[in-house]
Amino acid sequence: MRREVLYVLIVALVFLIIAFWYYQYQEANKMETKFEVLLATYSPLDTLGVAIEFAYRSLLEEEGIPFRIANREDIFLYQPQEIVSHNPVIIFPDQISQKIPIEYEIWISEYVQLGGNVFISYDSGIKMRNDRYREKAVFSPLLGINYITYTKHLEDSHRIAKLQFKDEESAKYFQIPYGKLDENLNVTGYAYGSLDFPVARIEVTNLDNDEIYAYSVHEDGSRSPNIIVKRFEKGSAIYTNLPLGFLKAYGSDELLLRMILRTYLFKVVKIPHLSNMPSNKGGLVMNWQVDNNKEWSSINWSEKRGFLRQDFPFSCHISAGPWLEEEGDNLGFDAYNHKGLVKKLSNYGEIGSLGGWAHNWFAIKILNNKFTTEDIDRHIKLNIEVLSNIINKPIREYSAPRGLHTPYMTRLLNQENIYSHYYVGDTGSQPNRAFLNGKRFSDKIFAFPIMPMQSLSNVHEFGIERISPTEYENWLNKTLEHLVENHLTTLISSHFYDFKEYPQYVAPFQRFMDNAVQLQNSGKLLVKPMSYFTEFWNRLLKTKIEYYVKENNLLISIENPEGLKDIVLCLPKEDYKRTAGVDLELSEDDDYYYIRFTENVENKLISVLFR
């Protein structure tokens, strides 16, 4: 009897072991068929590497891209044909991809020939394991260029250069805003003019002119390729001669990383992804800054000229104190004694806090290190409290006077549940969870970069520099085109009194508002305050979506504890057939089907057929 019991137990145990390993096999197989972009990395990363990886990861999350961080040694364990169908893109970031094994040269070539796509940034594959520079980069044969020439040119192997797009069509293809380019199509920055970037010396071996989209323009006037896209029979490769991750993590300049990644993944490769815009529309934030007593008359003056309108809601940020430059000068807006103006503005948009009590005074105190963190805390909270009491609702937005935004202020905003702020870094880019010194400010707070016109950003500056009304209006309309075409959001900022002092810009701005409202009425644009978009993005980031390749289907599992309403799934038309379902609205353009969730359901399972 005991033997029989023992036999039964042994059989049961064997069955459990087999079942366990079968389950493990199924799970492993399930992971292998999961559709994801691979972000190549290695372990352990140093402090710089951690920041670079985090910068890429943060952006991919915000852009709704399905991705997985994968050790580059682990990727190499697979044969290209084993992963190309469900890992169709591999991203090799700058800095952390320097020591790519030489064996990748053949592996990547086969991967691309099978239909794979590779994103190669700046210095990927330039070093050997012993930290010595190679004579040519691992990816040089694939790209037709060599971007590591240290053994030949030593210190001159790296230079400083302008980034110049080949033509307007190339800049537009890479989603570069009109206001970020000068007359020579060099990338510019607010207050800086055309920007300088660190680049590698390039030697061309096999590159066609139509594969070049932008150039490095060196100090001696010479040019070399900077952004190139190689298209093969099935796959593709992109290279950019810029430290993109470093620029985002440490340079407060994420525009190029975002737009180059978006262009490659959404236009060249065309992968399934979530739109990062409500209902996949463009977005505009008009930010008015109210900081001194000029606004007592300017607000009413602007109202008479139609600047305050219900169909053009704005963000209006106010310094509430009674002084401006120094304590007691009575040049401030003095919100407490002008409650009527504050309430009037609140009827047309969202009231936010502009710094700590007095605009210039607050900024100067910080610049001169005259304020402790306790002083900053007290004055920001005072400003918020006064405004909140006037409008009888919480303050949800913030602007830093003169752009002086510190990590401490971010912690304070988190405490106050303020998740949107005006930002003079990352100019021209999509609102994002910004970085400073290699660290992200916050998991929830979105910085709204201003949209510049080259080195200028507001009507006061345009007036001083004698920008023509025609040029100003052209910039406004080109910006709207950029937002609608690329499904992006930006912020335009000014003061009401700017227009009173420079009335030549009033009529162009009125036509701009009419144009924006018309686009909004046609379903192409959202004109909203900052907090509207931030609320959506923080909900979007809670979305869990998984794509599985199974035979002739793409299975999509999507869920969000706060609901899926107005979240949009983007499916490339060249790969997938039309689909439909309950609670779904389908639209399309030349490249994508857009599936919008019309009800606030928490989860959905969608099956899409491959073509």
Side-chain angles (χ1 to χ4, degrees), residues 90 197 235-236 271 360 405 418 481-482 502 565 569 575 590:
I90 305 175
F197 296 97
S236 68
I271 65 165
N360 296 352
H405 192 94
I418 294 175
E481 290 175 15
H482 168 73
Y502 298 100
K565 184 173 172 59
L569 175 63
D575 294 325
D590 292 340

Side-chain angles (χ1 to χ4, degrees), residues 592-604:
Y592 283 90
Y593 294 119
Y594 300 105
I595 301 172
R596 183 175 75 89
F597 295 91
T598 57
E599 300 296 329
N600 214 31
V601 295
E602 292 186 7
N603 55 73
K604 200 80 174 178

Side-chain angles (χ1 to χ4, degrees), residues 538-554:
N538 276 319
R539 176 164 64 93
L540 180 67
L541 286 169
K542 295 175 182 175
T543 304
K544 181 181 179 182
I545 184 166
E546 294 178 329
Y547 306 79
Y548 292 99
V549 178
K550 185 174 182 180
E551 297 176 350
N552 199 36
N553 288 68
L554 182 69

Side-chain angles (χ1 to χ4, degrees), residues 504-522:
Q504 66 267 35
Y505 300 117
V506 170
F509 187 77
Q510 290 169 331
R511 289 192 291 271
F512 161 70
M513 287 193 294
D514 289 340
N515 191 5
V517 169
Q518 186 175 356
L519 288 168
Q520 182 168 240
N521 291 340
S522 64

